[in-house]
Amino acid sequence: SRPTSGSAGGAALRRGIGTEPVPGWPFLPRLAEVEAISPGTLAPEARARIRRDLVALLADRPGSKAVHLAREIGIPKTLCNRVLYADSGSFEHNDGSPRLWYLRNGGRGVAVAPVTPSAFDSGEGAERPQPSDGEAPETTFDLYEWQDEALTAWSEAGWQGIVEAVTGAGKTMIGVAAIVEHLEVLDGAGRAVVIVPTIDLLEQWYTELIERLPARFSIGRMGAGHRDSLERADVLIAVVNTARGKKIGLPDDCRGLLVADECHRLASVQNKNALNDDFVDRLGLSATYERPDGAHESVLIPYFGKVVYSLDYRDAMAAGVIAPVRVATIGVDLSSRERAAYDEAAEYASRARSAMVNKYGAPADPFGEYVAWVSHACGGPRGDLQRLARRYMKFWQAKRQVLAETPAKLSVLDRMVPAIEDADRTLVFTSTIDSTESIVAILRGHGIDAAAHHSHLDKTTRDQVLDRFRRGDLRVIVTAMTLNEGIDVPEADLAVVLAASRQRREMIQRMGRVLRRKADGRDARFVVVYARDTPEDPARGAHEAFFDSLVEVAHSVQDFGPQAPARELARFLAP
């Protein structure tokens, strides 16, 4: 995992803060509490007292977790970690996850002082709740090592920044832990709002926070028929479409934390109105925060600060937070009629694209930025540019239709039946609604319970499909773009990609649906079916175009020809 440099955010908070109570913040008179909110260089007095406590505790209980040490001393875990990592002459850790801490060289040469009251416990100041004997505090939950490092990096950046981590690694827990730290450190004067892009994520976050937060903190919702605000709740989860037009209700005497899930979605022209300047503490979460329109530079970075921590698939695999993966690729050939239709559409689309790039200044690369530009032009004023943009989209869609609906790809499903039957649950990705229905019919013809999930189905039907899949009553979901982002998809262990995407975000979202770590240690398995001699073909650079991120972390990749026996494919894909 790679922590990156902290942002300069939080400078306004740090101005004027020393060892005296912070003006206007009488509930934070203690030095260590101030440092926990505004981490910079920990003041020598506070650092010495915390170090003294840690040395004494580790002398008595070597091999302790940071979360337990912090609980004993009565300080936030992030503050405890800062002292442990900074003093390598006194402390060392193993390479496990979570890490266990020891006195270096068994404590030889390390001065051990009696345990004294910590900076949080001495003098006047807010009372901090202490657990009763033998009872764990309400907020105890373990984080992966990378999550702890990410939370520490965000805290040390002044409670501002973006954490970018691949889908399936556990970004939500970073947000939950940040909220817990914020509320507990501010001890009654803190409020937090979580901005989410979809109703599904609203309910997902609500469930997570109900489980993780102490009962003394109230949790509200805004959107999907809910009308709560921070005037009545300590934590508010709000759908962005609602949050951008309503007042969150942050009390004047409280300090606010804004957590944005899928923060890249909040950089659009409309959604950026939900980025409320009243919230001085800010955390953005995303698998891919960069946007093709460049709004991550003009909107996200100025609001949240820099990326303070980044976790890619290689790092996540090494940390053991996502499943090992195997990839099978299967090339098929288009018929002569399909090839003619594809080549004609490709030619017309290429001409339209060249005209838009050369005459109208459309960005040639990256492809996602180009498509966003064309989509905007399609909805723009009438004229030559709009006609050209719509012409391009027409032929681009025609190309996608040929690649998604060719019978050569659908016939591969006959050979996939044994592998699908061996899998726990399977997701099939395609790009057109017609192809989803064709695939479902083929699978049902083999006695496999499958259902479609696409935008032409009403929300109730789509939710029922996911519920059946979650219960295990449904073996396969076939989707056309509706499961890429913002949907809480139950765990699956096999993915079949019949129509790949050239957009990195879409492929990362698809991968994350299957790469979540399995309770029994099973590999995640992917089958990528591609049309030969098209942009999907690895021989034409498709690895860079749409699944390089997947192939580079797979411990086994094998290409199967169109006539490879089903048993060979099933053997390679066996759980």
Side-chain angles (χ1 to χ4, degrees), residues 19-53:
T19 59
E20 298 298 325
V22 184
W25 296 90
F27 54 89
L28 288 177
R30 303 266 55 88
L31 175 63
E33 290 176 305
V34 172
E35 288 290 341
I37 292 175
S38 176
T41 301
L42 194 63
E45 178 189 350
R47 180 182 296 278
R49 302 176 76 171
I50 294 171
R51 177 190 176 278
R52 191 162 59 240
D53 290 0

Side-chain angles (χ1 to χ4, degrees), residues 419-426 469 472 474-476 491-494 518 520 522 525 575:
I420 292 174
E421 290 177 336
D422 285 343
D424 181 16
R425 280 168 291 194
T426 301
F469 193 68
L474 184 66
R475 297 290 300 278
V476 182
E491 179 180 306
D493 61 338
L494 176 64
K518 318 303 176 191
D520 61 2
R522 283 173 295 135
R525 276 90 24 81

Side-chain angles (χ1 to χ4, degrees), residues 291-309:
R291 289 173 53 98
D293 59 4
H296 58 286
E297 294 284 357
S298 59
V299 177
L300 298 182
I301 296 299
Y303 184 82
F304 291 100
K306 296 179 181 179
V307 176
V308 294
Y309 195 92

Side-chain angles (χ1 to χ4, degrees), residues 55-74:
V55 168
L57 286 170
L58 288 174
D60 183 51
R61 280 171 283 177
S64 294
K65 297 179 183 179
V67 65
H68 297 150
L69 295 169
R71 182 193 310 161
E72 289 286 340
I73 300 173

Side-chain angles (χ1 to χ4, degrees), residues 155-211:
S155 180
E156 291 183 349
W159 278 359
Q160 290 192 354
I162 295 171
V163 173
E164 185 180 42
V166 293
T167 303
K171 291 186 299 298
T172 300
M173 285 305 299
I174 302 297
V176 173
I179 291 170
V180 169
E181 178 177 319
H182 188 269
L183 295 179
E184 292 196 333
V185 169
L186 293 178
D187 199 16
R191 297 290 187 273
V193 62
V194 182
I195 306 294
V196 297
T198 66
I199 295 173
D200 295 271
L201 283 174
L202 173 77
E203 298 305 327
Q204 181 181 335
W205 271 89
Y206 184 73
T207 300
E208 197 72 49
L209 288 170
I210 285 290
E211 178 181 348

Side-chain angles (χ1 to χ4, degrees), residues 313 323-329 416 427 429 492-497 507-516 523-529 547 550 554 556 558 560 569 572-573:
Y313 274 117
V325 62
R326 280 173 273 150
V327 179
T329 58
M416 287 291 305
L427 295 173
F429 295 96
D493 61 338
L494 176 64
V496 181
V497 181
M507 286 307 295
I508 286 179
Q509 291 288 342
R510 292 181 181 186
M511 290 163 62
R513 302 308 182 194
V514 181
L515 283 177
R516 291 185 176 95
D523 285 1
R525 276 90 24 81
F526 281 80
V527 179
V528 180
V529 184
F547 64 96
L550 175 62
S556 183
Q558 186 170 334
F560 293 83
L569 185 59
F572 178 79
L573 296 172

Side-chain angles (χ1 to χ4, degrees), residues 195-509:
I195 306 294
V196 297
T198 66
I199 295 173
D200 295 271
L201 283 174
L202 173 77
E203 298 305 327
Q204 181 181 335
W205 271 89
Y206 184 73
T207 300
E208 197 72 49
L209 288 170
I210 285 290
E211 178 181 348
R212 303 292 184 181
L213 260 63
R216 67 180 181 275
F217 295 126
S218 58
I219 304 170
R221 286 170 285 184
M222 175 182 285
H226 302 283
R227 295 178 176 83
D228 298 324
S229 77
L230 287 179
E231 293 174 349
R232 300 189 298 271
D234 297 297
V235 182
L236 180 70
I237 312 153
V239 179
V240 64
N241 290 353
T242 304
R244 70 194 187 197
K246 292 185 180 296
K247 290 189 176 182
I248 299 296
L250 178 66
D252 292 338
D253 59 347
C254 288
R255 178 180 173 125
L257 164 66
L258 186 146
V259 177
D261 195 11
E262 309 291 1
C263 66
H264 55 273
R265 300 274 290 269
L266 270 70
S268 69
V269 174
Q270 294 296 326
N271 287 348
K272 66 183 181 181
N273 293 324
L275 298 176
N276 193 320
D277 289 335
D278 293 339
F279 291 79
V280 297
D281 303 318
R282 302 162 183 181
L283 171 62
L285 302 171
S286 180
T288 48
Y289 91 103
E290 292 186 358
R291 289 173 53 98
D293 59 4
H296 58 286
E297 294 284 357
S298 59
V299 177
L300 298 182
I301 296 299
Y303 184 82
F304 291 100
K306 296 179 181 179
V307 176
V308 294
Y309 195 92
S310 179
L311 185 84
D312 63 18
Y313 274 117
R314 187 175 297 279
D315 295 331
M317 195 79 69
V321 298
I322 59 175
V325 62
R326 280 173 273 150
V327 179
T329 58
I330 303 175
V332 300
D333 295 310
L334 299 177
S335 69
S336 57
R337 186 173 65 178
E338 290 169 336
R339 173 61 65 180
Y342 178 86
D343 288 345
E344 181 181 36
E347 175 63 23
Y348 284 126
S350 177
R351 291 179 184 177
R353 182 175 183 179
S354 295
M356 283 187 289
V357 171
N358 296 325
K359 184 176 180 180
Y360 294 100
D365 291 300
F367 183 71
E369 185 173 344
Y370 166 75
V371 170
W373 190 95
V374 174
S375 297
H376 180 74
C378 285
R382 293 182 179 180
D384 291 343
L385 174 58
Q386 185 194 63
R387 285 191 292 272
L388 191 62
R390 291 182 175 182
R391 180 179 177 84
Y392 171 83
M393 294 300 290
K394 171 185 175 181
F395 289 111
W396 182 53
Q397 294 290 353
K399 287 170 50 182
R400 296 179 69 196
Q401 184 174 356
V402 170
L403 295 178
E405 300 177 11
T406 172
K409 282 187 178 180
L410 299 182
S411 67
V412 170
L413 293 170
D414 294 326
R415 289 189 289 142
M416 287 291 305
V417 169
I420 292 174
E421 290 177 336
D422 285 343
D424 181 16
R425 280 168 291 194
T426 301
L427 295 173
V428 179
F429 295 96
T430 184
S431 60
T432 68
I433 291 172
D434 287 345
S435 64
T436 64
E437 301 295 347
S438 298
I439 293 165
V440 167
I442 291 172
L443 294 176
R444 288 178 177 173
H446 286 283
I448 297 173
D449 194 1
H453 192 286
H454 53 68
S455 59
H456 284 193
L457 299 172
D458 60 77
K459 186 179 185 304
T460 299
T461 301
R462 295 198 304 268
D463 289 345
Q464 289 172 347
V465 167
L466 289 175
D467 287 341
R468 291 178 58 207
F469 193 68
R470 185 176 289 107
R471 294 194 306 266
D473 299 336
L474 184 66
R475 297 290 300 278
V476 182
I477 290 181
V478 184
T479 177
M481 312 306 289
T482 49
L483 295 184
N484 280 344
E485 187 174 272
I487 304 293
D488 183 19
V489 181
E491 179 180 306
D493 61 338
L494 176 64
V496 181
V497 181
L498 292 178
S501 172
R502 290 182 62 183
Q503 298 197 46
R504 177 173 173 261
R505 175 172 290 122
E506 289 180 3
M507 286 307 295
I508 286 179
Q509 291 288 342

